[in-house]
Amino acid sequence: MSWEVVIGLEIHTQLATQSKIFSGASTAYGAEPNTQACLVDLGYPGVLPVLNEDVVRMAAMFGLAVNASVAPRSVFARKNYFYPDLPKGYQISQYELPIVEHGELFITAADGNEKRIGITRAHLEEDAGKSTHEGLGSFSGIDLNRAGTPLLEIVSEPDLRSAKEAVAYMRKIHSIVRYLGISDGNMQEGSFRCDANVSMRPRGQQEFGTRTELKNLNSFRFVEKAINFEIERQIDVIEDGGEVVQETRLYDANKDETRPMRSKEEANDYRYFPDPDLLPVEIDAAYVEALRETLPELPDAKRHRFIDDYGIRADDADILTASRALGDFYEEVVAATAGEPQGVANFVVGDFMGALNKAGLGIEESPVSAAALAGLLDRIKDQTISGKIAKEVFEAMWSGEGSADEIIAAKGLKQITDSSAIEAIVDKVIEANPGQVAEYKAGKEKLIGYFVGQVMKETGGKANPGQVNQVLKQKLS
Amino acid sequence: MAAELHQRTLSELAAGLEAGDFSSVELTEALLARVADHDGELNAFITVTAEQALAAARAADEARAAGNAGVLGGLPLVHKDIFCTRDVLTTCGSRMLENFVSPYNATVVDRLAGAGAVILGKTNMDEFAMGSSNETSYYGPVRNPWHLEYSPGGSSGGSAAAVAARLAPAATGTDTGGSIRQPAALTGTVGLKPTYGRVSRYGMIAFASSLDQAGVITRSSADAALLLGVMAGFDERDSTSIDHPVPDYTAALSESLDGLRIGVVKQHFDDGLDAATGAAVREALAVLEANGAKLVDVDLPNIDLSVPTYYVVAPAECSSNLSRFDGVRFGHRADNPEDLFDLYCRSRGEGFGAEVKRRIMTGTYALSAGYYDAYYLKAQQVRHLIADDFKSAFEKVDLIAGPTSPTPAFRLGDKVDDPITMYLNDIYTVGANLAGLPGVSTPCGFVDGLPVGLHLVGPHWGEEVLIRCAHNYEQLTDWHRACPEDFS
């Protein structure tokens, strides 16, 4: 039988506020345990939550970015359960009335077409603290620095039909929240996490199968691997005559498998009710409209503009618009150089991003500025250097040896375009390789590459490759 | 000869301090001495903060000498032990917080201290404010100064008893279903519960967040007006406090009863009301009418549903509010827990008393899947109906008057095993909490030597009309001046 997977994602994205959602404590990552938890975060007797206005703005911006409705009235509820990292014994979370509903975004499906993915809702909630078990013997440690960190939980419709689509959707959300500047999207630090609901059904069937919820998916790679594992597992269960059990399963990246969490953790009745300490959040239309004016250009719009205005390839446009900073960098280079936009895209996507990745740097930390890079690309354009020499110059720029022009001058890398000079070297090479010349003339034309290589070797790579080719062909004919 | 210091009201003491007749240190010492002499029999205090009080009194005297006396400069008060007080034990009447020294001050505590008040100590109360007799306190029941075998009411029983027995001229209290007004009625004191949102709840240990409101117990409405002016006002740390202007409440004291329309609710004089108590309240209404007020019959058709509604909403909220007491970060922790579950179960099992457990269980049930709609949601709907009834009534009248409590004080032990009878103590007061309205109880007579309270409820932000009416009544009668014989 042919099976179809149905996937919905719940993405928790940490909002990039200075302080927590209901207290003034800092949200900075990596502090000593329990140094960024105030009395409100600790759930002390008598303290009360006060909503951080910034989270409302950020959630509303997200709503606008995914073409959703921003609710004029949303309500915080209490989700009641006991756990040591949950100081109040309840988590404050929007339940029946979330701030964002009925959104959508588009991903590129396997067939290359755009596919619409519905966003059911996005709601605000506070994060819990963290339990640690290392180095404490039979005890557990509780770090409440994270308690009260603002989260936006983004829930998709069950519109995703493969692990690849799930990843594409997650990447798109990741890109949007970073464009909006509402989250740093840092997955190592847990600022962007995902749970996946996965079920199988015979292809063509309308109703959904029984789903499992996969937790602990904190990288794009794990999302893909966990879902694919789960697809195989569920098919095996069904084809062996069994039934998929509705349960929460943890993904274990080390073993690349999912396994059920203890059922006790599933049996909670959370006893949701509206939090009487907080008033409903009321947002008027004027606020939403004013906010709409502040929205930056979003990834899809930018991607289309890059393709239309710069004429670059779609796959390059995808990469260059994945982050706002990279797109801005690309545009800065294009504006500053006489080089062709596609050529700029090639260099930025290739050498430049390669260098960043290798050094583990963000674009803001790049030692080569957009203006400096434009200076280098100008020299390719005016044929001062070849593309190959440009790589060498770029490496030197990366190491801080100066501007492209300074490095070209200092290292004598200026391309040889004087045809008499090139002819002299070509003559020398032909003279030194009589055997190869004979073979070439006998029809082994691919030896042309060998001769080009020899000329380049003689000139330290500085000869204009086009000219070399032309002269060689002329002289060997 | 002037009255002894402890017999004077807050306003009289303020005048005396201002005139230099005595210092705050002298006053504080005199009252601390009374506490030492009398609290053994009353058990009104959980903590006496003598040292801090004397330091604050000295500071207040110095400020006054320097010409910087605050509105309450040097005036002694006591706080219900539900208000967090920095570096002072804050127990909420519970074993759960037997060891809890608060690291911060409630907004109410800060505001009163900021105006120069001197805090003598923290008063006894029903555990987590759940009770109407002060018998649920882990620290033992408070005794009624009018008869030591009787309850002073609750949950602010310690505050009421301390003021009635002249151990302090005024006290803070909290009122979730009548916890200021009922003990005030039962001890012959004045108890004012403001409009929900008028006074910050920050630092006031929550029982039922949508109903809790801080207020005062005093010996006169004038004193209540003085204190309310300091306590009231928006607090950015409490999202449910409302940014509404704070008037000069003492200005209301100079207005007469002329033209005041007073609603009388027939449901407030039904079979559940003790006949002698009813007679005293009717007599009070007659006094108001004879002096310029107009009595108007009003109907609150859903008011009979207020006690059952309250006993769904309040426990539901408390079941969640009290989850933070888990033995992990503060408060009582069971010895040698076997595991996390055992830590939770025993810490809470040992830390909470029977009434608190009863309400946590009732509330948990009301919020549970499958019951939420039938209980919690239904109760919230009825709550709206009750609020609407009051709203309609206040289109016809300026305030509503009736009995505060169906009976005078009852004997300690009489109702403690019968929660339903105990809950009916709140029958005339809970409506105001459900609707968020202000209410005041002022003394209006005695039945068998025990005080009776006249209950006034006003519209939202109607504190001034309540103070005006109660103050006029107090000027026309002398019930509020009566002092229990053993505490004169």
Side-chain angles (χ1 to χ4, degrees), chain A residues 194-255:
Chain A
C194 177
D195 301 337
N197 289 301
V198 178
S199 66
M200 304 304 302
R201 63 182 175 191
R203 200 168 293 281
Q205 178 180 304
Q206 279 305 302
E207 57 271 33
F208 297 139
T210 305
R211 68 185 156 87
T212 58
E213 184 179 3
L214 310 183
K215 285 206 177 284
N216 198 27
L217 310 178
N218 55 8
S219 81
F220 296 117
R221 203 161 55 91
F222 291 167
V223 168
E224 185 164 354
K225 292 178 88 167
I227 290 173
N228 281 330
F229 175 88
E230 187 62 13
I231 290 170
E232 293 307 317
R233 190 191 70 83
Q234 289 191 14
I235 290 174
D236 285 351
V237 167
I238 300 166
E239 291 189 341
D240 288 352
E243 279 183 11
V244 174
V245 181
Q246 184 168 343
E247 63 186 355
T248 301
R249 300 177 67 89
L250 269 180
Y251 177 65
D252 183 333
N254 295 323
K255 295 183 182 162

Side-chain angles (χ1 to χ4, degrees), chain A residues 378-414:
Chain A
D378 279 346
R379 294 295 84 82
I380 301 176
K381 171 74 179 170
D382 66 15
Q383 305 206 337
T384 306
I385 54 172
S386 66
K388 190 161 174 234
I389 292 292
K391 291 177 195 296
E392 188 186 336
V393 177
F394 177 70
E395 275 172 31
M397 290 169 74
W398 190 268
S399 326
E401 292 174 33
S403 71
D405 287 340
E406 286 162 358
I407 292 163
I408 292 165
K411 299 196 168 187
L413 295 174
K414 193 171 182 311

